[in-house]
Amino acid sequence: MIEEEKNTETKSKNKKQTPIIEIRDLHKTFGKDNTVLKGVNLMVNKGEDLVILGRSGSGKSVMIKCIVGLIEPDKGEIKVFDENVLNLSKKELNKIRVKIGFLFQSGALYDSMSVRENLAFTLRAHKRELTEDVVENEVIEALESVGLGGAIDKMPSELSGGMRKRIGLARTLIINPEIILYDEPTTGLDTITSREISELILDIKHKQKTSSIIITHDMACAKMTADWIIVLKDGIIHAEGTYEELEKDEDEWVRSFFD
Ligand SMILES: Nc1ncnc2c1ncn2[C@@H]1O[C@H](COP(=O)(O)OP(=O)(O)OP(=O)(O)O)[C@@H](O)[C@H]1O
């Protein structure tokens, strides 16, 4: 019965829609022998949230950095919006990058700038021609979309960890990305705040129709956000499926993530 359900699910996943990110046979070794990726394959369809699970050091961050050209793989193919990013010129790659938002672990706000300035700076870096009024409106809208309209004049040092994550997310959203890459979006937050961030990720997907890759160790976040999960081990995809499928997987190692 479970097998039957699994097959149906897999078929419906494969049948689905437009691929937005496709990775084939990705390899990366650092130095002489730190081989991190040994032939990773994955696909993210339009409007889909893909969660990546894996132990620390399994290459999750390296993989998403390869997608945006921050790390160059040794071998493999990466297609974003059907463009082979490894063959693009800097200018062509930048055209793709502006459609991709990141939320890195640290959130990395500029400490010397207010929340308004942090967001405005990012927006202007992407769209130089905007007037002051447009920038101000976009900043307000982005802050409201994460429920923090009132924090516009605050400095990062005045914000809690959860608020910093939200502001980081607002700064990601202000460029209107079609893809969002989340690197451990709930790390360091308490259970309730983590849940709020996961709800926000889900809300963004539904309202803005984004496609996302979410790296997380937070299984509650994975359960809420994942349309599909891949599990990285020893440089390859060891298992994949829906949350419900993987928590019942035959492989004890895979199930251990869900305990
Ligand atoms: N720029 C780099 N130069 C050299 N080695 C690197 C570089 N980036 C990552 N690595 C190595 O690649 C391996 C995988 O790192 P990565 O950050 O992708 O792990 P991860 O799965 O995201 O771990 P975590 O869950 O702890 O964040 C590690 O051994 C790391 O030392």
Side-chain angles (χ1 to χ4, degrees), residues 28-31 34-37 52-65 70-71 105 183-184 215-217 232:
K28 181 69 191 174
T29 297
F30 291 103
N34 185 9
T35 299
V36 179
L37 304 176
I52 306 180
L53 300 177
R55 298 272 182 257
S56 277
S58 59
K60 304 180 296 295
S61 303
V62 169
M63 199 164 74
I64 61 169
K65 284 180 182 159
L70 290 174
I71 289 179
Q105 261 176 63
D183 197 350
E184 303 194 16
I215 294 176
T216 189
H217 295 281
L232 267 187

Side-chain angles (χ1 to χ4, degrees), residues 1-112:
M1 179 63 185
I2 292 169
E3 225 13 73
E4 208 175 288
E5 279 170 13
K6 193 169 174 172
N7 287 342
T8 317
E9 187 62 48
T10 309
K11 272 185 209 152
S12 67
K13 151 102 183 164
N14 290 342
K15 218 171 30 179
K16 254 204 242 170
Q17 331 128 18
T18 326
I20 295 290
I21 302 172
E22 289 174 272
I23 293 182
R24 288 211 186 93
D25 199 29
L26 200 67
H27 288 70
K28 181 69 191 174
T29 297
F30 291 103
K32 262 197 190 143
D33 54 6
N34 185 9
T35 299
V36 179
L37 304 176
K38 296 184 193 162
V40 170
N41 296 286
L42 68 82
M43 190 193 291
V44 182
N45 288 310
K46 193 168 170 52
E48 191 174 80
D49 278 359
L50 175 80
V51 165
I52 306 180
L53 300 177
R55 298 272 182 257
S56 277
S58 59
K60 304 180 296 295
S61 303
V62 169
M63 199 164 74
I64 61 169
K65 284 180 182 159
C66 286
I67 295 173
V68 285
L70 290 174
I71 289 179
E72 197 181 336
D74 301 325
K75 188 180 153 197
E77 188 181 73
I78 302 175
K79 278 190 172 175
V80 181
F81 306 115
D82 218 22
E83 299 257 24
N84 197 336
V85 297
L86 302 178
N87 296 339
L88 297 180
S89 67
K90 246 191 169 165
K91 200 173 163 192
E92 288 166 330
L93 187 60
N94 277 338
K95 270 195 196 159
I96 290 184
R97 274 193 180 154
V98 297
K99 298 191 221 169
I100 305 178
F102 312 91
L103 190 67
F104 285 127
Q105 261 176 63
S106 59
L109 299 173
Y110 298 107
D111 284 336
S112 60

Side-chain angles (χ1 to χ4, degrees), residues 105-157:
Q105 261 176 63
S106 59
L109 299 173
Y110 298 107
D111 284 336
S112 60
M113 293 184 188
S114 69
V115 166
R116 173 191 279 106
E117 288 160 348
N118 260 284
L119 268 64
F121 181 81
T122 302
L123 183 57
R124 283 205 197 89
H126 279 80
K127 296 180 186 165
R128 284 163 216 272
E129 73 282 6
L130 298 180
T131 64
E132 288 299 316
D133 282 355
V134 173
V135 170
E136 178 75 1
N137 285 339
E138 298 272 323
V139 168
I140 291 169
E141 201 181 302
L143 287 173
E144 283 175 352
S145 70
V146 299
L148 280 182
I152 192 162
D153 289 316
K154 293 208 181 299
M155 296 301 285
S157 58

